[in-house]
Amino acid sequence: MAQSLLQRIAAVDENAVRECLDVHGGRVWALARRFSPDRADAEDAVQEIFISLWKSASRYDAERASEAAFVATIARRRLIDRLRARGSRVQTVPIEEHDVAGRHPAPQAEAALDLVRVRDVMNELDAGPRRVLELAVVGGHSHSQVAEATGIPLGTVKSHVRRGLQRVRDALASVGEGDR
Amino acid sequence: MSEVRLFDLLADRATQGLSAGDSVELDRLLADAPDVDAFEFERVAGAIDAALASTPDEALPADLRARIETDAQQVLASNLVVRNEARSLPRTAARRAPAPRRRWLSALGWAAAAVLAGLLFLPPTIESGRDPVDLRAELLTADAMTVAWSPTGDVSGPEASGDVVRSSERQSGVMRFRGLVANDPAAFQYQLWIFDETRDERYPIDGGVFDVIREGEDVYVAIDPKLHVRNLLSSPSRSRSQAASLCPVASESPSWPQSRAERAVLDYLALAASRGRPPSNHTP
């Protein structure tokens, strides 16, 4: 089996660094811009994210998650930490204008098995819970912001987020057990 | 009810972060639920983000990309050559790494039981990239000194132990850590810093990160030849309550004159579990 980019980076393959930036750089940049108050802050965040990624590369486990999911997890962690450190939430785009899933989602054929399963599960959710999960996770909006924008009580928003994550978690567990 | 609250807090942390109070509450709930994967929701959120994110409308800016590539060169040439090796230990109950604290407050202070005297200044061509287990075995057959670590009771390593094997003649050494709690690198990593007592205590002179993949495994860390250290000194009585930067600081100061006295010593070797976030006042 060919080594992943992260495995090659862990083996100190500098070409893999460039390839990793080609593959994941744009998405990390887009994620950072969603979570950051301005472009300069997003740039700092992206630098931090990739430093963390270079250091974590040796521990990437392809059996556990796709590379894209691993990168996104590390990126989100840094970005949420930065938000908390600033003591603020970001409202880069008004929620009603924010097309969370994007008009041009990455082609299905390119997505790893876990990501395909995630999309399937998200499509199985009722519209309300799905929208809440999209806004909270992909949109980077606080639960209060989601409650205010959707008119759904805050407690219900939190329940939707928790149950949605649990449902996707269970679906990913079945990917790990049954599809190898 | 506490289980619902636990998963609500985990969901909060994975999506919007936690306040200090909620973070403390989460730590407490996780301590009572050792079978719960503390970072699973964060991985799930990462997978959702990766699955639903649209094709980026803008490429990484060129100047930013150049800085990232420069960072990568430095990180890949990091001074820590690490090897993890499973040990044959009696099986203990599976434990999850405790949820890392939100701030740099959970420092595992380690202190050698004695002073390692001698020159650690190493030319850049020695021992780079050597397997630390092999190197340690080799040093033990030479004139190496061995100094044991003693833990300070931090939750990351209440039963931890280890040692430093160092050879003055060979100008080389290997640190070994045992009994550290396994960590999820997506959540936190162990941070190793080396401080110079004669310099600003906010800034370590060298450092790096490593992971403990499996409970009970040994971690071997080679002391990198780029490390410009005169004497390695540790004080059993001192432990830091707050860590400094994660970012590897340049290990050699261009302005550090060779004539500086041999009395320059390290403060101590500190090992901490961290999030990997540099302090706001850090200046590389």
Side-chain angles (χ1 to χ4, degrees), chain A residues 9 12 14 17-18 21-22 25-27 29 31 33-34 39 43 46-48 50-51 54-56 59 64 68-69 72-74 76-78 80-81 84-85 89 100-106 115 118-119 122 133-134 136-138 142-143 158 161-162 165-166 168-169 172, chain B residues 4 7-8 11-19 37 39-61 64-65 67-69 71-73 75-76 82 84 102-103 184-187 189 209 211 213 246-248 275-278:
Chain A
I9 289 170
V12 197
E14 291 194 9
V17 168
R18 287 185 280 273
L21 291 176
D22 290 339
R27 284 204 176 92
W29 176 230
L31 185 58
R33 279 155 52 218
R34 261 187 272 141
R39 194 176 180 90
E43 290 193 5
V46 170
Q47 258 193 288
E48 279 188 26
F50 277 105
I51 287 175
W54 307 145
K55 291 176 176 174
S56 304
R59 303 301 174 228
R64 207 173 191 186
T73 300
I74 288 183
R76 289 178 53 82
R77 168 62 74 146
R78 287 281 171 266
I80 291 173
D81 280 354
R84 272 293 167 186
R89 295 298 303 184
V100 170
R103 295 190 176 86
H104 304 287
L115 304 187
V118 167
R119 287 182 186 162
M122 292 295 289
L133 202 56
E134 288 172 351
V137 174
V138 186
S142 72
H143 297 178
K158 288 187 174 297
V161 171
R162 170 173 48 83
L165 291 175
Q166 287 172 322
V168 174
R169 174 200 64 190
L172 288 175
Chain B
V4 172
F7 284 103
D8 271 344
D12 282 356
R13 188 174 70 175
T15 54
Q16 62 176 10
L18 293 175
S19 65
D37 184 337
F39 309 112
E40 195 165 42
F41 275 3
E42 292 179 2
R43 293 195 298 271
V44 169
I48 292 173
D49 205 297
L52 298 188
S54 57
T55 301
D57 58 358
E58 183 183 340
L60 202 58
L64 174 59
R65 179 176 173 130
R67 294 198 298 274
I68 293 170
E69 290 185 11
D71 291 339
Q73 290 173 357
V75 173
L76 295 188
V82 181
N84 296 62
R102 300 302 301 182
R103 303 294 176 195
D184 181 336
Q189 293 181 285
V209 296
D211 300 303
I213 303 170
L246 164 73
C247 296
R275 284 292 182 78
R277 181 178 62 245

Side-chain angles (χ1 to χ4, degrees), chain A residues 32-38 89-94 98 139 141:
Chain A
R33 279 155 52 218
R34 261 187 272 141
F35 278 74
S36 302
D38 53 51
R89 295 298 303 184
V90 177
Q91 220 165 1
T92 55
V93 179
H98 188 96
H141 301 284

